[in-house]
Amino acid sequence: MIRFGIVGAKGIANKFARDIKYVDNAYISAVAARNEFDALKYQEIFQTEFAFSSYEAMAKSDKIDAVYIATPHNFHHSIVSLFLENKKHVLVEKPIALNYKEYEEIERKAIKNNVLVMEAMWTLFLPATSFVKHLLSEKTLGRVKKAEITLGYQLPEHYPKDGRLLNKSLAGGSLLDLGIYPLSFYTFIKDYPIKKLTADAVMSDTGVDLKTEIEIIDEDDAIYLIKSSFSDNFDNSAKFYCENGIIDMMDFSRSKSVFVNNKEYSFPFRDEGFAGEIKSFVDNVMNKEIENQIVTRKHMAETMKLMDKVRALINLKYPGE
């Protein structure tokens, strides 16, 4: 049985807690916060056996085998490093780090300490995603000519400027919060190296991107248009225009339906959709594997390098970089 600790016990961690009950051989045994009051509050919410008033105390304890980290992006590198150095397996929310340099250090520490580190890119474990990857890999409809992958929603009118999503000090912006999903998806399904990359962004007055549009042309001359936004309500689909038809993945990050030349294929989607990723991670730990078969080290590295290139193109740099 794999005992999880929780760091960052708020919105998305609540979803993780709801879905872990569908996974055999795993449960949440502890929660950590920066102060005792928050730790005890979270312990009540998650009904955990143990609560720690510091991340360091939980990392050094023998009460957990693995940790799920759901803090703002800019804290990922330091917190992930802490748990890896204490030989705990780490499942960390996207993006795994702010940049490739940070990711490289994380990977090195995981290998040195013989533990698993994995970005929680749960959308790649959905049955619909596996189906679309198979269609594209087998070229069922021929080569991809053009693809559009979008993820965007409009922030509330009075969303605070110092809120996490727009706060530069917390690595806010649509690219790191939303754009990571279509970019990671692209890295997962792509067949050819990138020949040309362009990107443009609409920036907020807080200095982060409200909207980013990316165009990738690969060495097979397929065009991939990738968009993320906090100012537009996109349909959030992944559409592939192939030589012999169209693949339309509805609501790609939470997909239950894929249309292939207008024929619908339906797929299961349980609760928050996290069960597949948690099970895969837990299976790795149980089998003493220190690399996931879907979110591989190569996948995480390629996606992070691509994020760095896009940020350079839109001139988005975070404090401390």
PDB file of all heavy atoms in Angstrom, residues 120-156:
ATOM      1  N   ALA A 120       2.090  15.529 -13.132  1.00  0.00           N
ATOM      2  CA  ALA A 120       0.710  15.051 -13.071  1.00  0.00           C
ATOM      3  C   ALA A 120      -0.087  15.528 -14.287  1.00  0.00           C
ATOM      4  O   ALA A 120      -1.033  16.300 -14.159  1.00  0.00           O
ATOM      5  CB  ALA A 120       0.049  15.517 -11.775  1.00  0.00           C
ATOM      6  N   MET A 121       0.304  15.037 -15.455  1.00  0.00           N
ATOM      7  CA  MET A 121      -0.388  15.381 -16.692  1.00  0.00           C
ATOM      8  C   MET A 121      -1.475  14.334 -16.941  1.00  0.00           C
ATOM      9  O   MET A 121      -1.381  13.470 -17.803  1.00  0.00           O
ATOM     10  CB  MET A 121       0.619  15.439 -17.844  1.00  0.00           C
ATOM     11  CG  MET A 121       0.063  16.039 -19.129  1.00  0.00           C
ATOM     12  SD  MET A 121      -0.744  17.634 -18.942  1.00  0.00           S
ATOM     13  CE  MET A 121       0.629  18.659 -18.407  1.00  0.00           C
ATOM     14  N   TRP A 122      -2.533  14.438 -16.142  1.00  0.00           N
ATOM     15  CA  TRP A 122      -3.570  13.402 -16.088  1.00  0.00           C
ATOM     16  C   TRP A 122      -4.299  13.210 -17.417  1.00  0.00           C
ATOM     17  O   TRP A 122      -4.792  12.118 -17.704  1.00  0.00           O
ATOM     18  CB  TRP A 122      -4.558  13.721 -14.977  1.00  0.00           C
ATOM     19  CG  TRP A 122      -5.204  15.075 -15.075  1.00  0.00           C
ATOM     20  CD1 TRP A 122      -4.684  16.257 -14.656  1.00  0.00           C
ATOM     21  CD2 TRP A 122      -6.472  15.376 -15.625  1.00  0.00           C
ATOM     22  NE1 TRP A 122      -5.559  17.283 -14.915  1.00  0.00           N
ATOM     23  CE2 TRP A 122      -6.661  16.766 -15.508  1.00  0.00           C
ATOM     24  CE3 TRP A 122      -7.484  14.601 -16.197  1.00  0.00           C
ATOM     25  CZ2 TRP A 122      -7.814  17.398 -15.961  1.00  0.00           C
ATOM     26  CZ3 TRP A 122      -8.631  15.224 -16.642  1.00  0.00           C
ATOM     27  CH2 TRP A 122      -8.794  16.617 -16.521  1.00  0.00           C
ATOM     28  N   THR A 123      -4.344  14.236 -18.258  1.00  0.00           N
ATOM     29  CA  THR A 123      -5.070  14.123 -19.527  1.00  0.00           C
ATOM     30  C   THR A 123      -4.454  13.075 -20.452  1.00  0.00           C
ATOM     31  O   THR A 123      -5.144  12.502 -21.298  1.00  0.00           O
ATOM     32  CB  THR A 123      -5.099  15.480 -20.257  1.00  0.00           C
ATOM     33  OG1 THR A 123      -3.763  15.923 -20.483  1.00  0.00           O
ATOM     34  CG2 THR A 123      -5.811  16.522 -19.433  1.00  0.00           C
ATOM     35  N   LEU A 124      -3.163  12.797 -20.292  1.00  0.00           N
ATOM     36  CA  LEU A 124      -2.500  11.825 -21.164  1.00  0.00           C
ATOM     37  C   LEU A 124      -2.884  10.391 -20.809  1.00  0.00           C
ATOM     38  O   LEU A 124      -2.595   9.465 -21.583  1.00  0.00           O
ATOM     39  CB  LEU A 124      -0.983  11.987 -21.084  1.00  0.00           C
ATOM     40  CG  LEU A 124      -0.421  13.350 -21.488  1.00  0.00           C
ATOM     41  CD1 LEU A 124       1.100  13.314 -21.520  1.00  0.00           C
ATOM     42  CD2 LEU A 124      -0.962  13.801 -22.848  1.00  0.00           C
ATOM     43  N   PHE A 125      -3.538  10.192 -19.665  1.00  0.00           N
ATOM     44  CA  PHE A 125      -3.921   8.849 -19.228  1.00  0.00           C
ATOM     45  C   PHE A 125      -5.391   8.537 -19.528  1.00  0.00           C
ATOM     46  O   PHE A 125      -5.868   7.456 -19.188  1.00  0.00           O
ATOM     47  CB  PHE A 125      -3.642   8.691 -17.729  1.00  0.00           C
ATOM     48  CG  PHE A 125      -2.186   8.766 -17.388  1.00  0.00           C
ATOM     49  CD1 PHE A 125      -1.575   9.993 -17.152  1.00  0.00           C
ATOM     50  CD2 PHE A 125      -1.407   7.630 -17.327  1.00  0.00           C
ATOM     51  CE1 PHE A 125      -0.224  10.077 -16.848  1.00  0.00           C
ATOM     52  CE2 PHE A 125      -0.057   7.690 -17.028  1.00  0.00           C
ATOM     53  CZ  PHE A 125       0.538   8.922 -16.787  1.00  0.00           C
ATOM     54  N   LEU A 126      -6.091   9.468 -20.167  1.00  0.00           N
ATOM     55  CA  LEU A 126      -7.495   9.243 -20.476  1.00  0.00           C
ATOM     56  C   LEU A 126      -7.638   8.242 -21.619  1.00  0.00           C
ATOM     57  O   LEU A 126      -6.855   8.256 -22.574  1.00  0.00           O
ATOM     58  CB  LEU A 126      -8.174  10.560 -20.867  1.00  0.00           C
ATOM     59  CG  LEU A 126      -8.194  11.668 -19.815  1.00  0.00           C
ATOM     60  CD1 LEU A 126      -8.871  12.915 -20.374  1.00  0.00           C
ATOM     61  CD2 LEU A 126      -8.883  11.206 -18.535  1.00  0.00           C
ATOM     62  N   PRO A 127      -8.660   7.373 -21.582  1.00  0.00           N
ATOM     63  CA  PRO A 127      -8.890   6.438 -22.692  1.00  0.00           C
ATOM     64  C   PRO A 127      -9.046   7.139 -24.041  1.00  0.00           C
ATOM     65  O   PRO A 127      -8.570   6.637 -25.065  1.00  0.00           O
ATOM     66  CB  PRO A 127     -10.180   5.725 -22.280  1.00  0.00           C
ATOM     67  CG  PRO A 127     -10.185   5.795 -20.787  1.00  0.00           C
ATOM     68  CD  PRO A 127      -9.573   7.132 -20.454  1.00  0.00           C
ATOM     69  N   ALA A 128      -9.682   8.310 -24.050  1.00  0.00           N
ATOM     70  CA  ALA A 128      -9.854   9.044 -25.307  1.00  0.00           C
ATOM     71  C   ALA A 128      -8.514   9.482 -25.878  1.00  0.00           C
ATOM     72  O   ALA A 128      -8.298   9.463 -27.094  1.00  0.00           O
ATOM     73  CB  ALA A 128     -10.758  10.265 -25.093  1.00  0.00           C
ATOM     74  N   THR A 129      -7.588   9.889 -25.010  1.00  0.00           N
ATOM     75  CA  THR A 129      -6.254  10.292 -25.456  1.00  0.00           C
ATOM     76  C   THR A 129      -5.516   9.112 -26.077  1.00  0.00           C
ATOM     77  O   THR A 129      -4.885   9.245 -27.140  1.00  0.00           O
ATOM     78  CB  THR A 129      -5.440  10.857 -24.280  1.00  0.00           C
ATOM     79  OG1 THR A 129      -6.130  11.982 -23.726  1.00  0.00           O
ATOM     80  CG2 THR A 129      -4.052  11.300 -24.739  1.00  0.00           C
ATOM     81  N   SER A 130      -5.596   7.941 -25.444  1.00  0.00           N
ATOM     82  CA  SER A 130      -4.943   6.744 -25.983  1.00  0.00           C
ATOM     83  C   SER A 130      -5.500   6.401 -27.356  1.00  0.00           C
ATOM     84  O   SER A 130      -4.750   6.013 -28.272  1.00  0.00           O
ATOM     85  CB  SER A 130      -5.146   5.557 -25.040  1.00  0.00           C
ATOM     86  OG  SER A 130      -4.589   5.815 -23.774  1.00  0.00           O
ATOM     87  N   PHE A 131      -6.805   6.552 -27.517  1.00  0.00           N
ATOM     88  CA  PHE A 131      -7.460   6.256 -28.796  1.00  0.00           C
ATOM     89  C   PHE A 131      -6.963   7.187 -29.889  1.00  0.00           C
ATOM     90  O   PHE A 131      -6.597   6.743 -30.991  1.00  0.00           O
ATOM     91  CB  PHE A 131      -8.976   6.395 -28.624  1.00  0.00           C
ATOM     92  CG  PHE A 131      -9.770   6.210 -29.887  1.00  0.00           C
ATOM     93  CD1 PHE A 131      -9.858   4.968 -30.495  1.00  0.00           C
ATOM     94  CD2 PHE A 131     -10.454   7.285 -30.456  1.00  0.00           C
ATOM     95  CE1 PHE A 131     -10.611   4.797 -31.653  1.00  0.00           C
ATOM     96  CE2 PHE A 131     -11.202   7.119 -31.608  1.00  0.00           C
ATOM     97  CZ  PHE A 131     -11.287   5.871 -32.213  1.00  0.00           C
ATOM     98  N   VAL A 132      -6.900   8.482 -29.600  1.00  0.00           N
ATOM     99  CA  VAL A 132      -6.452   9.453 -30.601  1.00  0.00           C
ATOM    100  C   VAL A 132      -4.979   9.235 -30.942  1.00  0.00           C
ATOM    101  O   VAL A 132      -4.590   9.291 -32.113  1.00  0.00           O
ATOM    102  CB  VAL A 132      -6.700  10.895 -30.110  1.00  0.00           C
ATOM    103  CG1 VAL A 132      -6.013  11.910 -31.019  1.00  0.00           C
ATOM    104  CG2 VAL A 132      -8.194  11.179 -30.042  1.00  0.00           C
ATOM    105  N   LYS A 133      -4.153   8.969 -29.936  1.00  0.00           N
ATOM    106  CA  LYS A 133      -2.736   8.702 -30.210  1.00  0.00           C
ATOM    107  C   LYS A 133      -2.579   7.500 -31.135  1.00  0.00           C
ATOM    108  O   LYS A 133      -1.748   7.509 -32.056  1.00  0.00           O
ATOM    109  CB  LYS A 133      -1.962   8.475 -28.919  1.00  0.00           C
ATOM    110  CG  LYS A 133      -0.462   8.224 -29.162  1.00  0.00           C
ATOM    111  CD  LYS A 133       0.332   8.158 -27.891  1.00  0.00           C
ATOM    112  CE  LYS A 133       1.787   7.768 -28.142  1.00  0.00           C
ATOM    113  NZ  LYS A 133       2.509   8.710 -29.021  1.00  0.00           N
ATOM    114  N   HIS A 134      -3.369   6.464 -30.912  1.00  0.00           N
ATOM    115  CA  HIS A 134      -3.308   5.268 -31.765  1.00  0.00           C
ATOM    116  C   HIS A 134      -3.697   5.611 -33.205  1.00  0.00           C
ATOM    117  O   HIS A 134      -3.011   5.198 -34.160  1.00  0.00           O
ATOM    118  CB  HIS A 134      -4.241   4.185 -31.220  1.00  0.00           C
ATOM    119  CG  HIS A 134      -4.317   2.966 -32.077  1.00  0.00           C
ATOM    120  ND1 HIS A 134      -3.318   2.022 -32.128  1.00  0.00           N
ATOM    121  CD2 HIS A 134      -5.270   2.557 -32.965  1.00  0.00           C
ATOM    122  CE1 HIS A 134      -3.641   1.065 -32.985  1.00  0.00           C
ATOM    123  NE2 HIS A 134      -4.833   1.361 -33.500  1.00  0.00           N
ATOM    124  N   LEU A 135      -4.779   6.366 -33.374  1.00  0.00           N
ATOM    125  CA  LEU A 135      -5.206   6.758 -34.721  1.00  0.00           C
ATOM    126  C   LEU A 135      -4.103   7.528 -35.450  1.00  0.00           C
ATOM    127  O   LEU A 135      -3.844   7.286 -36.639  1.00  0.00           O
ATOM    128  CB  LEU A 135      -6.460   7.628 -34.649  1.00  0.00           C
ATOM    129  CG  LEU A 135      -7.766   6.981 -34.178  1.00  0.00           C
ATOM    130  CD1 LEU A 135      -8.867   8.035 -34.125  1.00  0.00           C
ATOM    131  CD2 LEU A 135      -8.172   5.841 -35.090  1.00  0.00           C
ATOM    132  N   LEU A 136      -3.464   8.457 -34.734  1.00  0.00           N
ATOM    133  CA  LEU A 136      -2.429   9.283 -35.356  1.00  0.00           C
ATOM    134  C   LEU A 136      -1.154   8.479 -35.619  1.00  0.00           C
ATOM    135  O   LEU A 136      -0.534   8.618 -36.681  1.00  0.00           O
ATOM    136  CB  LEU A 136      -2.128  10.490 -34.470  1.00  0.00           C
ATOM    137  CG  LEU A 136      -3.289  11.470 -34.271  1.00  0.00           C
ATOM    138  CD1 LEU A 136      -2.925  12.530 -33.240  1.00  0.00           C
ATOM    139  CD2 LEU A 136      -3.673  12.141 -35.591  1.00  0.00           C
ATOM    140  N   SER A 137      -0.772   7.633 -34.680  1.00  0.00           N
ATOM    141  CA  SER A 137       0.444   6.833 -34.854  1.00  0.00           C
ATOM    142  C   SER A 137       0.300   5.852 -36.012  1.00  0.00           C
ATOM    143  O   SER A 137       1.253   5.634 -36.779  1.00  0.00           O
ATOM    144  CB  SER A 137       0.760   6.055 -33.567  1.00  0.00           C
ATOM    145  OG  SER A 137       1.034   6.927 -32.505  1.00  0.00           O
ATOM    146  N   GLU A 138      -0.893   5.259 -36.129  1.00  0.00           N
ATOM    147  CA  GLU A 138      -1.141   4.287 -37.198  1.00  0.00           C
ATOM    148  C   GLU A 138      -1.501   4.961 -38.517  1.00  0.00           C
ATOM    149  O   GLU A 138      -1.661   4.285 -39.539  1.00  0.00           O
ATOM    150  CB  GLU A 138      -2.275   3.341 -36.780  1.00  0.00           C
ATOM    151  CG  GLU A 138      -1.935   2.460 -35.588  1.00  0.00           C
ATOM    152  CD  GLU A 138      -0.794   1.511 -35.880  1.00  0.00           C
ATOM    153  OE1 GLU A 138      -0.782   0.892 -36.956  1.00  0.00           O
ATOM    154  OE2 GLU A 138       0.113   1.406 -35.016  1.00  0.00           O
ATOM    155  N   LYS A 139      -1.639   6.289 -38.477  1.00  0.00           N
ATOM    156  CA  LYS A 139      -2.035   7.047 -39.671  1.00  0.00           C
ATOM    157  C   LYS A 139      -3.315   6.464 -40.291  1.00  0.00           C
ATOM    158  O   LYS A 139      -3.420   6.268 -41.507  1.00  0.00           O
ATOM    159  CB  LYS A 139      -0.892   7.119 -40.681  1.00  0.00           C
ATOM    160  CG  LYS A 139       0.297   7.916 -40.138  1.00  0.00           C
ATOM    161  CD  LYS A 139       1.405   8.065 -41.146  1.00  0.00           C
ATOM    162  CE  LYS A 139       2.457   9.063 -40.699  1.00  0.00           C
ATOM    163  NZ  LYS A 139       2.916   8.921 -39.317  1.00  0.00           N
ATOM    164  N   THR A 140      -4.279   6.213 -39.423  1.00  0.00           N
ATOM    165  CA  THR A 140      -5.550   5.635 -39.838  1.00  0.00           C
ATOM    166  C   THR A 140      -6.234   6.486 -40.897  1.00  0.00           C
ATOM    167  O   THR A 140      -6.852   5.962 -41.836  1.00  0.00           O
ATOM    168  CB  THR A 140      -6.481   5.473 -38.615  1.00  0.00           C
ATOM    169  OG1 THR A 140      -5.804   4.694 -37.622  1.00  0.00           O
ATOM    170  CG2 THR A 140      -7.777   4.785 -38.995  1.00  0.00           C
ATOM    171  N   LEU A 141      -6.120   7.801 -40.763  1.00  0.00           N
ATOM    172  CA  LEU A 141      -6.690   8.729 -41.759  1.00  0.00           C
ATOM    173  C   LEU A 141      -5.594   9.392 -42.573  1.00  0.00           C
ATOM    174  O   LEU A 141      -5.809  10.446 -43.176  1.00  0.00           O
ATOM    175  CB  LEU A 141      -7.540   9.793 -41.067  1.00  0.00           C
ATOM    176  CG  LEU A 141      -8.767   9.305 -40.289  1.00  0.00           C
ATOM    177  CD1 LEU A 141      -9.550  10.482 -39.735  1.00  0.00           C
ATOM    178  CD2 LEU A 141      -9.660   8.436 -41.161  1.00  0.00           C
ATOM    179  N   GLY A 142      -4.432   8.793 -42.624  1.00  0.00           N
ATOM    180  CA  GLY A 142      -3.316   9.379 -43.352  1.00  0.00           C
ATOM    181  C   GLY A 142      -2.558  10.397 -42.517  1.00  0.00           C
ATOM    182  O   GLY A 142      -2.764  10.528 -41.305  1.00  0.00           O
ATOM    183  N   ARG A 143      -1.687  11.140 -43.142  1.00  0.00           N
ATOM    184  CA  ARG A 143      -0.841  12.102 -42.460  1.00  0.00           C
ATOM    185  C   ARG A 143      -1.658  13.302 -41.969  1.00  0.00           C
ATOM    186  O   ARG A 143      -2.638  13.693 -42.590  1.00  0.00           O
ATOM    187  CB  ARG A 143       0.256  12.609 -43.405  1.00  0.00           C
ATOM    188  CG  ARG A 143       1.255  11.539 -43.788  1.00  0.00           C
ATOM    189  CD  ARG A 143       2.042  11.879 -45.049  1.00  0.00           C
ATOM    190  NE  ARG A 143       2.581  13.238 -45.021  1.00  0.00           N
ATOM    191  CZ  ARG A 143       2.272  14.173 -45.909  1.00  0.00           C
ATOM    192  NH1 ARG A 143       1.410  13.914 -46.880  1.00  0.00           N
ATOM    193  NH2 ARG A 143       2.821  15.364 -45.826  1.00  0.00           N
ATOM    194  N   VAL A 144      -1.235  13.875 -40.864  1.00  0.00           N
ATOM    195  CA  VAL A 144      -1.839  15.118 -40.366  1.00  0.00           C
ATOM    196  C   VAL A 144      -1.379  16.265 -41.256  1.00  0.00           C
ATOM    197  O   VAL A 144      -0.189  16.423 -41.519  1.00  0.00           O
ATOM    198  CB  VAL A 144      -1.431  15.395 -38.906  1.00  0.00           C
ATOM    199  CG1 VAL A 144      -1.949  16.760 -38.449  1.00  0.00           C
ATOM    200  CG2 VAL A 144      -1.942  14.296 -37.975  1.00  0.00           C
ATOM    201  N   LYS A 145      -2.329  17.070 -41.709  1.00  0.00           N
ATOM    202  CA  LYS A 145      -2.011  18.272 -42.493  1.00  0.00           C
ATOM    203  C   LYS A 145      -2.064  19.525 -41.622  1.00  0.00           C
ATOM    204  O   LYS A 145      -1.251  20.426 -41.765  1.00  0.00           O
ATOM    205  CB  LYS A 145      -2.982  18.405 -43.675  1.00  0.00           C
ATOM    206  CG  LYS A 145      -3.051  17.179 -44.570  1.00  0.00           C
ATOM    207  CD  LYS A 145      -1.717  16.844 -45.218  1.00  0.00           C
ATOM    208  CE  LYS A 145      -1.329  17.867 -46.267  1.00  0.00           C
ATOM    209  NZ  LYS A 145      -0.041  17.523 -46.915  1.00  0.00           N
ATOM    210  N   LYS A 146      -3.052  19.540 -40.715  1.00  0.00           N
ATOM    211  CA  LYS A 146      -3.223  20.698 -39.838  1.00  0.00           C
ATOM    212  C   LYS A 146      -3.930  20.237 -38.564  1.00  0.00           C
ATOM    213  O   LYS A 146      -4.753  19.324 -38.602  1.00  0.00           O
ATOM    214  CB  LYS A 146      -4.052  21.785 -40.532  1.00  0.00           C
ATOM    215  CG  LYS A 146      -4.231  23.067 -39.725  1.00  0.00           C
ATOM    216  CD  LYS A 146      -5.059  24.081 -40.493  1.00  0.00           C
ATOM    217  CE  LYS A 146      -5.282  25.350 -39.681  1.00  0.00           C
ATOM    218  NZ  LYS A 146      -6.106  26.342 -40.419  1.00  0.00           N
ATOM    219  N   ALA A 147      -3.586  20.858 -37.454  1.00  0.00           N
ATOM    220  CA  ALA A 147      -4.241  20.546 -36.180  1.00  0.00           C
ATOM    221  C   ALA A 147      -4.461  21.820 -35.389  1.00  0.00           C
ATOM    222  O   ALA A 147      -3.679  22.771 -35.492  1.00  0.00           O
ATOM    223  CB  ALA A 147      -3.404  19.560 -35.365  1.00  0.00           C
ATOM    224  N   GLU A 148      -5.540  21.856 -34.629  1.00  0.00           N
ATOM    225  CA  GLU A 148      -5.846  22.981 -33.750  1.00  0.00           C
ATOM    226  C   GLU A 148      -6.149  22.437 -32.362  1.00  0.00           C
ATOM    227  O   GLU A 148      -7.034  21.588 -32.201  1.00  0.00           O
ATOM    228  CB  GLU A 148      -7.050  23.771 -34.271  1.00  0.00           C
ATOM    229  CG  GLU A 148      -6.830  24.409 -35.637  1.00  0.00           C
ATOM    230  CD  GLU A 148      -8.079  25.093 -36.167  1.00  0.00           C
ATOM    231  OE1 GLU A 148      -9.124  25.008 -35.487  1.00  0.00           O
ATOM    232  OE2 GLU A 148      -8.006  25.685 -37.246  1.00  0.00           O
ATOM    233  N   ILE A 149      -5.400  22.884 -31.357  1.00  0.00           N
ATOM    234  CA  ILE A 149      -5.598  22.433 -29.979  1.00  0.00           C
ATOM    235  C   ILE A 149      -5.736  23.680 -29.109  1.00  0.00           C
ATOM    236  O   ILE A 149      -4.817  24.499 -29.044  1.00  0.00           O
ATOM    237  CB  ILE A 149      -4.422  21.569 -29.486  1.00  0.00           C
ATOM    238  CG1 ILE A 149      -4.052  20.496 -30.517  1.00  0.00           C
ATOM    239  CG2 ILE A 149      -4.775  20.914 -28.156  1.00  0.00           C
ATOM    240  CD1 ILE A 149      -2.774  19.745 -30.187  1.00  0.00           C
ATOM    241  N   THR A 150      -6.880  23.815 -28.448  1.00  0.00           N
ATOM    242  CA  THR A 150      -7.141  25.046 -27.694  1.00  0.00           C
ATOM    243  C   THR A 150      -7.597  24.727 -26.273  1.00  0.00           C
ATOM    244  O   THR A 150      -8.248  23.718 -26.021  1.00  0.00           O
ATOM    245  CB  THR A 150      -8.235  25.891 -28.372  1.00  0.00           C
ATOM    246  OG1 THR A 150      -9.470  25.168 -28.390  1.00  0.00           O
ATOM    247  CG2 THR A 150      -7.838  26.239 -29.803  1.00  0.00           C
ATOM    248  N   LEU A 151      -7.255  25.626 -25.364  1.00  0.00           N
ATOM    249  CA  LEU A 151      -7.745  25.534 -23.989  1.00  0.00           C
ATOM    250  C   LEU A 151      -7.824  26.955 -23.435  1.00  0.00           C
ATOM    251  O   LEU A 151      -6.802  27.633 -23.294  1.00  0.00           O
ATOM    252  CB  LEU A 151      -6.822  24.675 -23.129  1.00  0.00           C
ATOM    253  CG  LEU A 151      -7.308  24.376 -21.704  1.00  0.00           C
ATOM    254  CD1 LEU A 151      -8.665  23.677 -21.726  1.00  0.00           C
ATOM    255  CD2 LEU A 151      -6.301  23.516 -20.956  1.00  0.00           C
ATOM    256  N   GLY A 152      -9.028  27.408 -23.171  1.00  0.00           N
ATOM    257  CA  GLY A 152      -9.175  28.777 -22.677  1.00  0.00           C
ATOM    258  C   GLY A 152     -10.528  29.013 -22.046  1.00  0.00           C
ATOM    259  O   GLY A 152     -11.528  28.420 -22.444  1.00  0.00           O
ATOM    260  N   TYR A 153     -10.528  29.860 -21.033  1.00  0.00           N
ATOM    261  CA  TYR A 153     -11.774  30.316 -20.440  1.00  0.00           C
ATOM    262  C   TYR A 153     -11.567  31.742 -19.944  1.00  0.00           C
ATOM    263  O   TYR A 153     -10.442  32.172 -19.665  1.00  0.00           O
ATOM    264  CB  TYR A 153     -12.218  29.409 -19.292  1.00  0.00           C
ATOM    265  CG  TYR A 153     -11.283  29.367 -18.115  1.00  0.00           C
ATOM    266  CD1 TYR A 153     -11.401  30.278 -17.064  1.00  0.00           C
ATOM    267  CD2 TYR A 153     -10.273  28.403 -18.032  1.00  0.00           C
ATOM    268  CE1 TYR A 153     -10.551  30.255 -15.976  1.00  0.00           C
ATOM    269  CE2 TYR A 153      -9.414  28.365 -16.943  1.00  0.00           C
ATOM    270  CZ  TYR A 153      -9.550  29.285 -15.925  1.00  0.00           C
ATOM    271  OH  TYR A 153      -8.702  29.260 -14.856  1.00  0.00           O
ATOM    272  N   GLN A 154     -12.647  32.463 -19.859  1.00  0.00           N
ATOM    273  CA  GLN A 154     -12.578  33.871 -19.472  1.00  0.00           C
ATOM    274  C   GLN A 154     -12.592  33.992 -17.956  1.00  0.00           C
ATOM    275  O   GLN A 154     -13.480  33.456 -17.288  1.00  0.00           O
ATOM    276  CB  GLN A 154     -13.758  34.632 -20.074  1.00  0.00           C
ATOM    277  CG  GLN A 154     -13.608  36.140 -20.025  1.00  0.00           C
ATOM    278  CD  GLN A 154     -14.662  36.827 -20.880  1.00  0.00           C
ATOM    279  OE1 GLN A 154     -15.671  36.254 -21.233  1.00  0.00           O
ATOM    280  NE2 GLN A 154     -14.403  38.079 -21.223  1.00  0.00           N
ATOM    281  N   LEU A 155     -11.599  34.674 -17.423  1.00  0.00           N
ATOM    282  CA  LEU A 155     -11.570  34.900 -15.987  1.00  0.00           C
ATOM    283  C   LEU A 155     -12.741  35.796 -15.576  1.00  0.00           C
ATOM    284  O   LEU A 155     -13.205  36.623 -16.371  1.00  0.00           O
ATOM    285  CB  LEU A 155     -10.264  35.577 -15.575  1.00  0.00           C
ATOM    286  CG  LEU A 155      -8.987  34.732 -15.609  1.00  0.00           C
ATOM    287  CD1 LEU A 155      -7.795  35.583 -15.194  1.00  0.00           C
ATOM    288  CD2 LEU A 155      -9.118  33.516 -14.709  1.00  0.00           C
ATOM    289  N   PRO A 156     -13.239  35.651 -14.356  1.00  0.00           N
ATOM    290  CA  PRO A 156     -14.303  36.542 -13.884  1.00  0.00           C
ATOM    291  C   PRO A 156     -13.894  38.012 -14.019  1.00  0.00           C
ATOM    292  O   PRO A 156     -12.706  38.345 -13.901  1.00  0.00           O
ATOM    293  CB  PRO A 156     -14.464  36.143 -12.415  1.00  0.00           C
ATOM    294  CG  PRO A 156     -13.965  34.738 -12.341  1.00  0.00           C
ATOM    295  CD  PRO A 156     -12.858  34.647 -13.347  1.00  0.00           C
TER     296      PRO A 156
END
